[in-house]
Amino acid sequence: MNYNRRNFLKTIGAGTLSLSFASIFSACEKKVSKPNIIFIMADDMGYGDAGCYNPQSKISTPNIDHIASKGIRFTNAHSPGAWCVPARYGLLTGRFPFRTDLKRMKTTSLIEPGRMTLGSLLQRNGYKTACIGKWHQGFENLRNQDYSKPIQSGPVERGFDYFYGIHASLDIPPYYYIENDRCVEAPTDDVEASSSEDVTQIQGAFWRAGKIAPNFKHDEVLPTFTEKAVTYLEDQKKSNTPFFLYFSLAGPHTPWLPTGKFKDSSKAGEYGDFMTQIDDSVGKIVEILKNTGQADNTLLFFTSDNGPVWFEEDIQRYNHKSSHFLKGMKVDTWEGGHRVPFLVSWSGKIPQNSVSHENICFTDMMATFATLVGDKLPENAGEDSFNILPVLLGEKYEKPLRGAIVIENKAIIQGDWKLIFDSGRGGLSRWLSKQPIEKSEQKGELYNLKDDPSENNNLYGERSDLVQSLTALFEKYKKDGRSAPLSR
Ligand SMILES: [Ca+2]
């Protein structure tokens, strides 16, 4: 019997305990033992944008820095993909994205029906679940919708009780809001493409031409998502049920659209200004938790799905290193593409101002949340997920904490070593940078990230033993269908 149960029994008098009281007690115990969880995911934010990671950042991020000061900051947290879709699949399912077929998204949801998600895991453990923001895991027949009918295979069919958001990135039409499985207002109008001067075609106020709902304004999306999230959190104050909010921002991905007081609020151009506005949204979440008395019982995460769209030309122009000391950017298999800021706070549980250098991955949230709520994952769920709760809580744990991390089907990281199967340079910088592309004589890239975190010294030709063993490990993961041990 724990302290809370003893106190409860003392209060009501043990002799009066009946079945109905037992069930009341059960509800009370749930409230006490299961914290609320908020997972804030920025979109295309760099490792070096927040001041808590990069003191030389040209962007002020007091609210993100505040989470770091109240909790733990990871220096080696990885997205399992360097762009939106695989990153979010890995987070939501606990599986490396190479295990699914990304082509599914052309016609349906990337997440297969019946597959456990963070949402459905928490639902079965008594949580209310909500996804507010960008989904980007596909819907059924999105391009061929009858907007008077339900939009199928979205978040409400993948473990979330409530959804308010957009189908994909904010530069991809059609542009309209979806609430649960219904279109809020159909995209009956047309909008021309948008762009900014002096930046590449995938930066600035960029969006593609297409259909748009009459009520949809691109620059209102961030404030709208923030307002919806704040309202959701206000509503939870009245509830005794723990909640999970996946707050999936659509910025600082393009279009970069800072509004009002956020214009010229940074020294890193429109990108930096928009990032300041993102930070302000994070502050509003923290504030409403405090104002509603929910802050102490809420586990709060902040991260970004992948690296920034920030070229060498931008670094020179603003003297701001969005990827900090990491090489590359979004879509690259270098660290700038997939090593992300990752902060977690939980009052009284996670030591303040702590820092961890452990390799962790988005896929680990599945096993971590399961452990947190006292559940055991089925064998066919979270195959690449490892419980990181001991790290969060500052407890002792056995090393290594997890198996290797696989980035799409392009790289594998184990301990200090990283093998890139081809070239670390991904599509964006290959297509758009004005900088010359260096030609590698090697078939792949191998780095010791501890000695060489900026990936300058390719040891592929010198350490064929490691190239072979890391290649074999990836093949084993593919063959076994999992990287996690069966019992977690
Ligand atoms: Ca992204």
Side-chain angles (χ1 to χ4, degrees), residues 11-23:
T11 309
I12 64 168
T16 62
L17 186 65
S18 67
L19 274 180
S20 58
F21 271 125
S23 52

Side-chain angles (χ1 to χ4, degrees), residues 42-44 83-84 88 134 253 305-307 330:
D43 192 358
D44 292 10
W83 57 291
C84 311
R88 287 150 200 269
K134 157 176 160 172
H253 192 294
D305 65 342
N306 51 257
K330 178 180 180 179

Side-chain angles (χ1 to χ4, degrees), residues 276-328:
T276 310
Q277 191 165 352
I278 298 278
D279 182 76
D280 186 72
S281 283
V282 172
K284 287 188 163 69
I285 300 296
V286 173
E287 189 183 3
I288 193 68
L289 287 175
K290 266 190 214 158
N291 293 347
T292 53
Q294 300 176 104
D296 286 352
N297 195 35
T298 300
L299 185 55
L300 176 64
F301 292 81
F302 176 83
T303 188
S304 170
D305 65 342
N306 51 257
V309 179
W310 198 251
F311 297 97
E312 186 60 34
E313 294 84 345
D314 303 304
I315 295 173
Q316 289 170 12
R317 185 172 176 184
Y318 295 109
N319 192 25
H320 172 70
K321 293 187 172 180
S322 185
S323 294
H324 201 11
F325 57 86
L326 304 177
K327 189 175 183 178

Side-chain angles (χ1 to χ4, degrees), residues 338-483:
H338 57 83
R339 195 192 297 196
V340 289
F342 196 95
L343 309 169
V344 199
S345 71
W346 187 10
S347 180
K349 297 284 199 317
I350 295 179
Q352 296 194 6
N353 265 315
S354 51
V355 177
S356 171
H357 305 300
E358 280 290 349
N359 287 349
I360 63 162
C361 182
F362 286 170
T363 56
D364 296 333
M365 296 308 103
M366 179 73 84
T368 302
F369 291 3
T371 308
L372 184 72
V373 300
D375 199 355
K376 190 169 172 4
L377 292 179
E379 288 193 3
N380 65 351
E383 292 93 325
D384 303 301
S385 194
F386 292 79
N387 171 31
I388 66 164
L389 205 55
V391 187
L392 298 181
L393 300 178
E395 296 171 348
K396 284 188 178 168
Y397 55 93
E398 273 184 42
K399 295 197 176 191
L401 179 73
R402 70 174 331 291
I405 295 170
V406 180
I407 313 296
E408 299 172 70
N409 56 358
K410 298 175 177 172
I412 184 166
I413 301 168
Q414 189 185 41
D416 296 337
W417 290 95
K418 174 178 179 184
L419 173 65
I420 301 173
F421 298 119
D422 181 8
S423 163
R425 184 181 290 278
L428 294 180
S429 43
R430 195 190 296 270
W431 293 329
L432 292 170
S433 177
K434 295 174 191 132
Q435 300 291 319
I437 309 288
E438 77 270 28
K439 290 230 168 91
S440 170
E441 292 173 1
Q442 306 289 353
K443 285 183 184 167
E445 301 180 24
L446 178 76
Y447 299 104
N448 183 310
L449 294 174
K450 191 174 183 187
D451 299 341
D452 179 23
S454 302
E455 298 170 289
N456 291 319
N457 186 20
N458 183 5
L459 299 171
Y460 189 93
E462 295 169 37
R463 294 297 306 267
S464 59
D465 57 327
L466 285 167
V467 171
Q468 279 179 17
S469 63
L470 288 168
T471 304
L473 187 60
F474 179 46
E475 292 302 321
K476 181 177 176 351
Y477 284 2
K478 283 199 280 190
K479 183 167 156 284
D480 292 352
R482 59 173 49 242
S483 67

